[in-house]
Amino acid sequence: KDALFEETPTDSEIVNYLSANLKPKRFLHTIGVAVTAANMAAVLGSSPHDAYVAGLLHDCAKYFTSEESVWLCEQEGIGLSDVERENPVLVHGKLGAFLARTRYHIDNGEILSAICHHTVGRPNMGLLEKIVYVADFMEPGRVMDCQPHSLTDIRKMSFHDIDRALLMVLECTVTHLRNMKAPMDPLTLETYHF
């Protein structure tokens, strides 16, 4: 619950802390999302720095176990849905936004919302939320066979039409979850339909 820093840390202080506390693969993904999001923001008309910070902190709660994540949310009054309780991996967005605010002193509502919604999305996302959501899915370190759209096509689209890129990512996500017969957060489906 205590702040990690006395005041808002510099970007390099955040990078150093995450490097020491995230697993190497997660840290590389984090840097990939931060840089990709900043580049997308520069092209799409959002703040590259805000996108970079949101990208850096989007998985800042990933080092907690599932049990710790749910427990921390309960302790801090962060509401969880039944789907989130059954699939605690979905909790890290909400918990990450809380940590960004309380431990990293981030008070920019757009950054906090982008962190909060990068996992399941939400209808009517703002530009920064869309950028971080898409960057998380397709940053350069990602290697996966997604359907019905390839990562290459999503990457190309993300710098030209963020709404189309977002829909492509959501179509891939919904298709994957349905094919795996995995539970889907209702918010993801609402975002897709929106």
Side-chain angles (χ1 to χ4, degrees), residues 76-183:
E76 299 301 335
I78 300 169
L80 299 178
S81 68
D82 291 341
V83 173
E84 289 169 326
R85 288 182 183 284
E86 293 167 17
N87 301 280
V89 70
L90 300 175
V91 172
H92 75 276
K94 286 181 177 179
L95 184 56
F98 171 80
L99 295 176
R101 184 174 49 79
T102 59
R103 295 186 174 181
Y104 295 88
H105 304 284
I106 303 298
D107 61 3
N108 180 313
E110 289 183 17
I111 292 173
L112 295 174
S113 190
I115 295 167
C116 183
H117 297 107
H118 84 273
T119 307
V120 298
R122 73 174 180 88
N124 202 26
M125 285 193 278
L127 180 56
L128 185 58
E129 291 170 309
K130 293 174 188 178
I131 287 170
V132 174
Y133 189 94
V134 172
D136 182 36
F137 188 86
M138 62 82 179
E139 57 91 3
R142 289 279 198 197
V143 180
M144 61 183 154
D145 179 28
C146 50
Q147 297 297 325
H149 308 285
S150 71
L151 277 177
T152 300
D153 289 342
I154 294 169
R155 287 175 176 137
K156 287 178 188 174
M157 187 60 67
S158 67
F159 287 88
H160 301 288
D161 184 341
I162 190 64
D163 291 319
R164 178 69 185 130
L166 176 63
L167 181 58
M168 293 167 78
V169 169
L170 286 162
E171 287 171 345
C172 289
T173 300
V174 168
T175 298
H176 173 74
L177 292 172
R178 285 181 175 159
N179 288 344
M180 298 296 295
K181 295 185 178 13

Side-chain angles (χ1 to χ4, degrees), residues 25-36:
K25 186 175 178 181
R26 177 66 49 197
F27 177 71
L28 288 176
H29 166 70
T30 294
I31 296 301
V33 173
V35 171
T36 300

Side-chain angles (χ1 to χ4, degrees), residues 4 17-18 21-22 26 30 54-70 72-73 78 88-100 103-104 115 118-119:
L4 291 172
Y17 181 81
L18 294 174
N21 287 282
L22 295 177
R26 177 66 49 197
T30 294
L56 282 179
L57 293 175
H58 84 285
D59 276 352
C60 70
K62 273 284 198 171
Y63 61 87
F64 293 112
T65 66
S66 294
E67 294 78 18
E68 289 170 335
S69 294
V70 170
L72 280 168
C73 286
I78 300 169
V89 70
L90 300 175
V91 172
H92 75 276
K94 286 181 177 179
L95 184 56
F98 171 80
L99 295 176
R103 295 186 174 181
Y104 295 88
I115 295 167
H118 84 273
T119 307

